[in-house]
Amino acid sequence: MDIALLLPIVGMVFGTLSVLTFWMPGLAVVLGVGELAADLLGAATHSTDDDESASLWALVGILVATLGLTTDAIAVLAGASPL
């Protein structure tokens, strides 16, 4: 299996962890940024053009990264203590 096809899946795992750890803003932001980077790299590779499911995983991952980073920002603004 090509590494470019695994990047969106790795990004989804990071994103899920980012959303679940919103109460620890330091860790959640690192996971969210890691997910966003993995999904953007996965979406930008030429091999995802041929694989529609990998492109869909990358798009969903970008949306989850946005959700995760938004919940992290809300948690910081609400006064959650950083790591």
Side-chain angles (χ1 to χ4, degrees), residues 7-43:
L7 282 173
I9 296 171
V10 169
M12 283 295 294
V13 171
F14 281 174
T16 304
L17 291 174
S18 173
V19 171
L20 293 176
T21 59
F22 72 91
W23 51 276
M24 295 187 304
L27 177 62
V29 168
V30 169
L31 290 171
V33 170
E35 177 202 8
L36 194 58
D39 286 328
L40 288 174
L41 285 173

Side-chain angles (χ1 to χ4, degrees), residues 31-56:
L31 290 171
V33 170
E35 177 202 8
L36 194 58
D39 286 328
L40 288 174
L41 285 173
T45 59
H46 66 281
S47 58
T48 55
D49 294 339
D50 301 331
D51 190 1
E52 187 174 325
S53 66
S55 297
L56 182 62

Side-chain angles (χ1 to χ4, degrees), residues 46-74:
H46 66 281
S47 58
T48 55
D49 294 339
D50 301 331
D51 190 1
E52 187 174 325
S53 66
S55 297
L56 182 62
W57 274 97
L59 177 63
V60 171
I62 291 169
L63 293 174
V64 172
T66 304
L67 175 69
L69 291 173
T70 302
T71 57
D72 301 337
I74 291 170

